[in-house]
Amino acid sequence: MESGITANQLERKESGQRTLTRNQRRTLTFYLFVSPWVIGFVLLGIFPLLVGLLTSFTNYDGLNLDTVKFVGLGNYARVFEDPDVSFSLVRTILWGLANLPLWLVLSFLLALILNQDVKGSGFFRTIFYLPSLIPITAAVTAWRIILEKNFGMLNASISRFTPEPVAIGWLSDYSLPGMTSIAIWGGLGYGMVIFLAGLQGIPDELKEAAQIDGANSWQVFRHITLPLMTPVIFFQLVLGLIGSFQQLNLPLLVTKVGIAASSVPPRPIYLYMIHTYQQIFTSGRYGYGTALLWMLFIGILILTWIVFWSEKYWVYSGASEGAN
Amino acid sequence: MDAQYRDLMMKRVNRFFGYSLLILTSLILIAPVFFMVISSLKVDAEYLTYPIRVFPSTPQWRNYQLVFIMTPFAKVALRTAVLALSTATLSALISSMVGFAFARYNDVKGNKQLFGLVIAMLIVPFIVILIPQFILYARLKLTNTYWPWILGALAGSPYNIFMFRQFFLNFPKELEDAAEIDGCNPFQIYWRIFLPNAKPVIATVMIFGFINVWGDYLMPSIYLNASKTLLGVTLATAFKNPQGIDLKTISLAASVIYILPLIIVFFFGQKQILKGVVTSGLKG
Amino acid sequence: MAEKLLKKISRRDVLKLSGTFLGGALLASCAPATEAPAPVAEPTEKPVEPTAAPVTEAPVAEPISGHVVVMHNLAEFTEDHVAAFQEANPGITVEVVDGMDPTRFFAMYAAGSPPDIYRLQAPSIPGLLARKLLLDLTPYFEASQLIDIADLAPANDYYKAESPLEIGTGKIYGMCKDFSPDCTIFANKAHFEKAGLPIPDDTKAMTFTEIVDAAKQLTTFDGERMLQYGYGYETAWIDRFWMNMLAETGASLYAAGYEKINLTESEDAKAIVQWFYDLAAEKVSPSPKNPSPAGWFGTDFVGATASMAQYGFWFSAMAIGDANKDAVMMLPGPTWAGERRDPTVTATGAIMTSATQVPDAAWKVFEYYHAGQPSIERAGSGWGVPALKSQWSMIPQGTDFQKQAYKVLQGELELNTSPLQFNPFIGETVVSNAWNLYLDQALSGTITFDDMLAGIEKDTNTAIKEGIDRIIP
């Protein structure tokens, strides 16, 4: 809405110099609104972060507070020398590539389908979300029945078509596809829900207006739905990226053998966080493990920053229209 | 005329394919759940056998009984539910406020940098701050209490903040401007215009917040002792034999009981995500 | 001086004192248990040790109070136990924390409030001792009315130490809650019969060669699919088995001073590792390439998809399932070089941490759990051999299998050899972890057997060096 004078000018005209400018008021409002998080961060976040950073410069093993020694950047140098680091990093990237695009596309598709007023959509949505509700330990236990090498359902079904029964190691040699199946199965519902929330946020009037103008479903999707969904897609992409790189529990649960919970996941799914976990809890290298975690943090941060930098190229923002 | 008829037929075909796809996907997704439930009625040694037996030889309904005998499951569940609900609500409220500011005050200096910090906190692996944060709370004598959860919720979570911000980015600027001209202060704009229209995100955030606390293992395992512990810990640790070996099938039974409330919460929550009754005949 | 003392000891206290002496006398006469699991050992008054730890010089009438934090397995130290103890010992409150996850332990230490009692396995003792984290409990044991040091089973020697490198005798730092000869073998007779093999003799120890021969014939395949394993063991304890096997000829896994592991230089060690490698390579036992279907090998045995399982006596409590009913037998532990050694390598128990603020109260809890009612329950449950010899008669011998297992157990318990000296500089799972890591690659063919050996050696030596560095300030 264009008016003859801006609100700012009105302000100054009416009440003189002593009141805050509009910009100043906006700044104040902004910081007031975000203060809960900032206070929380300052009180509960800074100290742990600093200590966490400090730990990475020591040879702390979790227990030896009395004899802990400073090693400066030694742990970080080690990160570059450790062959398992590069190996696990590669595995993690492959894991992300296998997992992320598939998950994004499939859950978006599901959300699109279920966004319509299909009969029983509530029922279907609940069913699709069900896997995401199942705790990961139970999920792996259930999937083991399908994927297990010698007694699993999948191999048994495949064996019907082969001359000799097969024993494909979906949890060992081919654990990447095996684990990806579990992950996507568990993540579909969750992804679908977020996309649904986003889809529901698109005002119907926009779509109706377009259809009155003669657009067909595909065009409505291409020109209205998709652009308006880009913030949500962006959100999913960023979080999915962060999540893939931080994956820890799934490989551990897939491998679990023996009374002592520490067993090493097979090479295909020896992810970066697994290596870190081994260093901290098996080898007792808490300081080195923390350094590994900080390196991971920097890596993900850079990736995320790249995605954020690309935000202005493909993500629609209603707030920035007109004002900026 | 012809075009309209074709469009209608396309819709019918679409609908048929759509339904088939839905049902097929449902079956695929449900299969592991089915195995989970069916296995919960087996004896531990029958979990994986050869020749493969889908159904248990004798259904062990006792497994479900054992869940309640081996642990104070109901008590822990109730405790967890109360905590989950309150923290989910608190966090949703605070995060929506913070997210609103990030989304609509793009012009304020420091917005982008501060938001970058929020995202950075999302990326920091939790293990790094886990033990130092525990030390902090220990000094404040707040371990073995629920304060870590409440204080955490009062600060809003980066995840929720991010979600609200993305959602609020979409609202047209005109809405804000009009409200301002009408004399609304920023809080009123947030409270009366943005928040009510954010029902899908609020519902989502609350559902996730609830599920998080309902099933979280890491935090309660560090902060709480046995008498105050939450459901996630019970689920992960209580069903073991005296040697410390997991009793898989009883754990599965516990998991089935565990997800029942979640299904209910979700089923009613997702109705909120649906934005009211759809009137336009052009949909679907 | 006398007035002060008199002032402190009131009339009530005198009564309490005399009651305690009486109670103590009663307890001494009701010596440890007979068959009936009656709460014999439960003290009913507030027990004040008249000859308590030399530390206390305070007037004896002070009732013991305190808040004790126990880090344990929640399934073993139950709420019922806590309630019963607190009822009998008003003034002492007990809080149980799940201790199966090390993260909590680290967190508590970092925050300066470690648990008072901590459940662990024997191999952890040298390491914790080297860091001075254990409390010397000898005075408590000596003064205890419930525990007679002579009554402690030999497996408790793991909890005695003169120094981190001298385990077996000396100060007492804890005791086990129960133990098992860990190298015993459980066999499925039906599988042997089906394969045309003679049923093993339960009075003779098999050699490892015999085991692998039998296992190869017992492992059956259908195409690529494996139908049953021949033999399996607890992979996380592999280095403990190595140590035991080497000790038969007096060799050691580690060089003197425990500063290095001997793998590539020692022919004996090489042969032993080779044996385990061959098991995995021949697909006779679980390995990273051929993981246990149920996730834990024991379950496979119970489901009759495994023929031999090398687990301790504790496994007898769960070894029988529907699939292998009437077919299970227990065998003595095997021998590598002909010399039989006492094969206990775990001896799960508890210690008290040196940082405890309430040692007296914590000792009460410790005593209660290890020699009180809970120990009687454990003894009768068949999940392990009781830590107190006087409770050995409570081991169940009802069924034929239990009788047969008990017979074999007797033979094992008669072997009385010195405990294994675990390496104080590394964690329990460092070696087994390295083994898993390199085995996977060796089985894939990406590295050779010697590479694998060298890899395990290198990783372990690095860990040892770091460990030494951390302990010596």
Side-chain angles (χ1 to χ4, degrees):
Chain A
M1 255 209 283
E2 295 297 340
S3 40
I5 39 178
T6 64
N8 212 347
Q9 288 173 301
L10 198 67
E11 195 68 40
R12 264 196 265 144
K13 256 187 151 183
E14 292 194 343
S15 33
Q17 293 292 79
R18 275 198 296 134
T19 40
L20 300 163
T21 62
R22 184 163 184 273
N23 269 339
Q24 285 174 323
R25 263 186 296 125
R26 279 183 72 80
T27 311
L28 192 62
T29 314
F30 172 75
Y31 281 102
L32 216 61
F33 269 67
V34 300
S35 58
W37 188 81
V38 174
I39 296 175
F41 175 73
V42 167
L43 291 180
L44 295 171
I46 290 195
F47 169 72
L49 279 174
L50 285 176
V51 173
L53 192 60
L54 205 69
T55 317
S56 67
F57 297 127
T58 69
N59 69 346
Y60 186 53
D61 70 346
L63 291 174
N64 66 332
L65 272 176
D66 301 327
T67 55
V68 75
K69 289 197 187 81
F70 239 170
V71 292
L73 290 174
N75 286 332
Y76 287 92
R78 186 180 189 160
V79 171
F80 289 99
E81 292 160 357
D82 189 345
D84 272 334
V85 168
S86 41
F87 176 78
S88 58
L89 199 57
V90 168
R91 299 314 310 180
T92 312
I93 294 175
L94 285 175
W95 158 255
L97 285 173
N99 197 12
L100 204 50
L102 211 57
W103 170 71
L104 278 174
V105 170
L106 284 178
S107 42
F108 192 48
L109 224 64
L110 277 181
L112 279 175
I113 296 177
L114 286 181
N115 189 34
Q116 323 197 47
D117 193 23
V118 183
K119 260 204 273 281
S121 61
F123 169 75
F124 275 113
R125 285 180 201 152
T126 311
I127 295 221
F128 286 2
Y129 194 62
L130 200 52
S132 297
L133 289 174
I134 296 187
I136 197 168
T137 44
V140 175
T141 310
W143 268 90
R144 197 183 274 278
I145 299 178
I146 302 174
L147 294 178
E148 207 278 322
K149 183 175 187 188
N150 297 309
F151 307 145
M153 301 250 163
L154 186 57
N155 282 343
S157 315
I158 297 177
S159 299
R160 280 187 210 272
F161 302 103
T162 55
E164 293 255 293
V166 287
I168 306 177
W170 297 110
L171 299 173
S172 46
D173 292 322
Y174 293 95
S175 40
L176 191 56
M179 212 170 78
T180 307
S181 319
I182 306 181
I184 295 196
W185 171 84
L188 266 182
Y190 154 79
M192 172 197 80
V193 165
I194 309 251
F195 279 127
L196 259 180
L199 284 172
Q200 292 290 347
I202 297 178
D204 283 329
E205 302 81 49
L206 282 173
K207 292 201 248 178
E208 287 164 27
Q211 278 173 314
I212 288 173
D213 279 347
N216 63 30
S217 320
W218 167 251
Q219 283 171 322
V220 170
F221 174 74
R222 171 87 180 73
H223 294 290
I224 307 250
T225 312
L226 197 54
L228 284 177
M229 282 295 283
T230 46
V232 182
I233 299 178
F234 176 79
F235 173 78
Q236 296 278 61
L237 182 62
V238 171
L239 288 175
L241 204 67
I242 299 174
S244 317
F245 274 86
Q246 292 188 341
Q247 178 60 256
L248 172 64
N249 279 327
L250 209 47
L252 282 180
L253 288 170
V254 161
T255 322
K256 200 162 184 193
V257 175
I259 300 177
S262 98
S263 38
V264 189
R267 296 309 270 174
I269 54 174
Y270 190 75
L271 304 182
Y272 189 90
M273 283 296 282
I274 295 283
H275 184 62
T276 310
Y277 180 86
Q278 296 285 343
Q279 294 302 308
I280 295 182
F281 291 108
T282 307
S283 308
R285 302 186 183 117
Y286 205 97
Y288 177 54
T290 319
L292 280 170
L293 288 171
W294 281 109
M295 292 300 288
L296 181 69
F297 167 77
I298 293 175
I300 303 180
L301 196 62
I302 294 176
L303 272 174
T304 312
W305 185 83
I306 294 177
V307 179
F308 265 89
W309 169 80
S310 75
E311 188 182 5
K312 58 177 177 286
Y313 291 110
W314 60 283
V315 180
Y316 168 83
S317 163
S320 48
E321 298 245 311
N324 269 354
Chain B
M1 262 327 206
D2 229 349
Q4 244 186 359
Y5 176 72
R6 246 192 309 152
D7 216 24
L8 199 63
M9 275 312 289
M10 273 301 288
K11 278 205 174 56
R12 289 247 172 88
V13 169
N14 276 344
R15 184 173 275 168
F16 173 73
F17 274 123
Y19 264 112
S20 320
L21 191 66
L22 278 180
I23 296 182
L24 189 65
T25 319
S26 305
L27 288 174
I28 297 178
L29 285 180
I30 288 296
V33 183
F34 167 74
F35 287 129
M36 180 181 136
V37 177
I38 213 76
S39 300
S40 70
L41 292 171
K42 288 185 181 170
V43 182
D44 224 43
E46 262 200 334
Y47 161 63
L48 271 176
T49 56
Y50 185 81
I52 299 174
R53 271 189 290 269
V54 176
F55 294 96
S57 41
T58 30
Q60 302 283 316
W61 298 103
R62 179 154 170 72
N63 281 350
Y64 284 87
Q65 252 186 323
L66 280 172
V67 170
F68 291 96
I69 296 177
M70 287 178 77
T71 63
F73 202 83
K75 205 164 54 158
V76 178
L78 190 62
R79 201 192 291 153
T80 315
V82 169
L83 188 68
L85 197 58
S86 38
T87 52
T89 316
L90 207 55
S91 182
L93 271 169
I94 306 271
S95 305
S96 62
M97 206 169 79
V98 178
F100 164 76
F102 276 121
R104 311 307 296 185
Y105 287 76
N106 264 320
D107 51 317
V108 173
K109 215 158 44 131
N111 179 324
K112 291 245 155 40
Q113 289 77 359
L114 199 57
F115 186 64
L117 192 60
V118 175
I119 296 295
M121 285 311 284
L122 206 54
I123 303 175
V124 170
F126 193 52
I127 313 182
V128 170
I129 54 176
L130 182 67
I131 293 190
Q133 218 170 45
F134 178 81
I135 300 177
L136 196 62
Y137 279 111
R139 294 266 180 267
L140 294 169
K141 304 246 188 280
L142 289 178
T143 52
N144 207 26
T145 67
Y146 298 115
W147 279 104
W149 279 264
I150 301 186
L151 292 178
L154 276 174
S157 93
Y159 180 84
N160 295 349
I161 294 173
F162 190 15
M163 203 187 280
F164 275 109
R165 180 226 191 221
Q166 296 308 105
F167 189 76
F168 284 144
L169 275 177
N170 256 344
F171 286 50
K173 187 99 179 70
E174 292 77 40
L175 228 51
E176 258 183 293
D177 290 339
E180 215 179 314
I181 304 284
D182 278 348
C184 287
N185 65 42
F187 188 77
Q188 284 169 320
I189 298 179
Y190 156 73
W191 188 256
R192 294 225 211 113
I193 300 182
F194 279 76
L195 198 57
N197 281 307
K199 281 213 186 74
V201 184
I202 298 177
T204 312
V205 156
M206 284 199 57
I207 292 177
F208 288 164
F210 184 87
I211 295 175
N212 245 348
V213 178
W214 185 251
D216 181 30
Y217 166 78
L218 202 52
M219 263 191 83
S221 75
I222 298 287
Y223 285 98
L224 300 173
N225 295 346
S227 51
K228 279 212 170 104
T229 196
L230 300 179
L231 200 54
V233 172
T234 307
L235 198 62
T237 62
F239 303 105
K240 293 189 159 79
N241 67 14
Q243 192 65 16
I245 298 161
D246 291 315
L247 296 165
K248 276 201 199 47
T249 50
I250 303 183
S251 287
L252 285 180
S255 302
V256 172
I257 303 175
Y258 160 94
I259 61 175
L260 285 176
L262 294 183
I263 298 179
I264 299 174
V265 164
F266 179 77
F267 187 71
F268 288 109
Q270 60 89 29
K271 283 217 176 96
Q272 288 303 311
I273 302 181
L274 183 69
K275 210 176 44 169
V277 181
V278 177
T279 49
S280 170
L282 289 164
K283 262 216 162 158
Chain C
M1 177 61 181
E3 292 107 57
K4 273 214 210 114
L5 260 179
L6 278 173
K7 266 210 206 74
K8 288 197 173 191
I9 304 180
S10 70
R11 188 158 163 271
R12 231 171 6 115
D13 293 322
V14 172
L15 280 177
K16 256 196 242 160
L17 250 184
S18 45
T20 314
F21 273 110
L22 268 178
L26 273 171
L27 282 171
S29 60
C30 302
T34 54
E35 287 76 25
V40 150
E42 193 92 304
T44 45
E45 355 264 329
K46 253 195 294 256
V48 176
E49 303 299 354
T51 52
V55 187
T56 44
E57 81 283 48
V60 194
E62 199 78 26
I64 299 185
S65 66
H67 182 74
V68 179
V69 176
V70 180
M71 196 168 231
H72 217 278
N73 180 356
L74 291 177
E76 289 174 358
F77 205 124
T78 65
E79 287 197 2
D80 293 334
H81 291 150
V82 171
F85 176 82
Q86 288 184 165
E87 216 186 291
N89 295 277
I92 308 183
T93 46
V94 179
E95 184 89 63
V96 182
V97 172
D98 183 56
M100 305 302 269
D101 184 348
T103 322
R104 181 80 185 260
F105 191 58
F106 291 162
M108 291 173 91
Y109 255 102
S113 53
D116 300 298
I117 299 177
Y118 182 56
R119 173 194 193 272
L120 42 50
Q121 293 184 347
S124 305
I125 302 273
L128 291 177
L129 188 58
R131 289 148 199 254
K132 310 193 180 31
L133 296 178
L134 304 182
L135 186 66
D136 179 9
L137 298 176
T138 323
Y140 286 107
F141 271 92
E142 283 169 356
S144 167
Q145 310 282 11
L146 286 180
I147 304 173
D148 180 7
I149 295 185
D151 193 26
L152 288 174
N156 287 292
D157 289 345
Y158 275 109
Y159 290 82
K160 297 186 189 151
E162 265 316 319
S163 77
L165 286 173
E166 295 165 278
I167 298 286
T169 52
K171 308 196 183 68
I172 309 179
Y173 290 97
M175 71 185 269
C176 48
K177 64 171 183 81
D178 57 30
F179 70 97
S180 291
D182 282 306
C183 299
T184 47
I185 300 182
F186 289 82
N188 188 318
K189 289 186 282 198
H191 288 186
F192 275 82
E193 281 166 4
K194 198 149 149 228
L197 292 169
I199 305 228
D201 180 1
D202 67 0
T203 58
K204 250 182 48 161
M206 292 172 80
T207 67
F208 278 84
T209 324
E210 285 169 358
I211 289 181
V212 73
D213 285 339
K216 280 201 212 148
Q217 300 182 63
L218 288 164
T219 310
T220 53
F221 285 88
D222 174 17
E224 262 179 44
R225 173 192 290 150
M226 190 194 66
L227 296 178
Q228 69 189 36
Y229 288 104
Y231 175 79
Y233 56 94
E234 182 60 54
T235 347
W237 297 346
I238 198 170
D239 57 324
R240 305 181 200 184
F241 294 142
W242 292 352
M243 288 169 74
N244 203 43
M245 288 153 88
L246 280 170
E248 284 186 30
T249 52
S252 169
L253 190 57
Y254 298 99
Y258 286 81
E259 297 185 7
K260 273 172 18 128
I261 192 174
N262 278 337
L263 281 181
T264 49
E265 304 289 304
S266 156
E267 287 307 314
D268 288 332
K270 244 200 243 186
I272 291 177
V273 179
Q274 180 79 51
W275 187 86
F276 280 94
Y277 176 81
D278 289 337
L279 274 185
E282 313 250 0
K283 299 211 183 116
V284 156
S285 76
S287 73
K289 288 271 167 271
N290 200 20
S292 149
W296 181 59
F297 188 71
T299 317
D300 295 323
F301 182 83
V302 178
T305 49
S307 313
M308 288 189 280
Q310 186 171 19
Y311 286 119
F313 173 72
W314 56 267
F315 190 62
S316 67
M318 63 172 287
I320 307 224
D322 285 335
N324 64 358
K325 238 185 328 197
D326 301 329
V328 183
M329 68 180 299
M330 184 167 138
L331 298 171
T335 173
W336 173 255
E339 209 36 66
R340 282 300 326 272
R341 275 185 52 87
D342 176 354
T344 305
V345 299
T346 319
T348 312
I351 50 95
M352 276 170 56
T353 56
S354 55
T356 176
Q357 307 285 323
V358 286
D360 292 341
W363 169 253
K364 288 276 126 235
V365 182
F366 187 94
E367 209 185 17
Y368 165 75
Y369 184 74
H370 289 94
Q373 176 62 11
S375 75
I376 298 172
E377 288 168 12
R378 281 197 300 275
S381 70
W383 275 98
V385 183
L388 298 167
K389 289 189 279 210
S390 49
Q391 289 181 342
W392 284 6
S393 51
M394 286 197 275
I395 298 176
Q397 300 176 63
T399 68
D400 284 337
F401 170 65
Q402 283 174 335
K403 292 201 184 80
Q404 190 263 327
Y406 189 77
K407 187 183 75 164
V408 176
L409 178 65
Q410 291 301 92
E412 298 300 282
L413 289 174
E414 275 160 26
L415 303 165
N416 205 352
T417 38
S418 51
L420 292 172
Q421 171 68 50
F422 291 100
N423 194 315
F425 305 121
I426 52 177
E428 278 180 55
T429 46
V430 169
V431 181
S432 58
N433 225 61
W435 158 259
N436 265 319
L437 197 65
Y438 288 103
L439 180 65
D440 196 354
Q441 300 176 61
L443 287 174
S444 304
T446 44
I447 62 176
T448 67
F449 175 79
D450 289 313
D451 288 337
M452 179 183 89
L453 269 185
I456 301 176
E457 196 175 86
K458 186 168 82 86
D459 283 2
T460 312
N461 284 340
T462 316
I464 294 178
K465 217 161 58 93
E466 288 168 358
I468 297 178
D469 202 32
R470 282 190 205 113
I471 292 176
I472 292 126

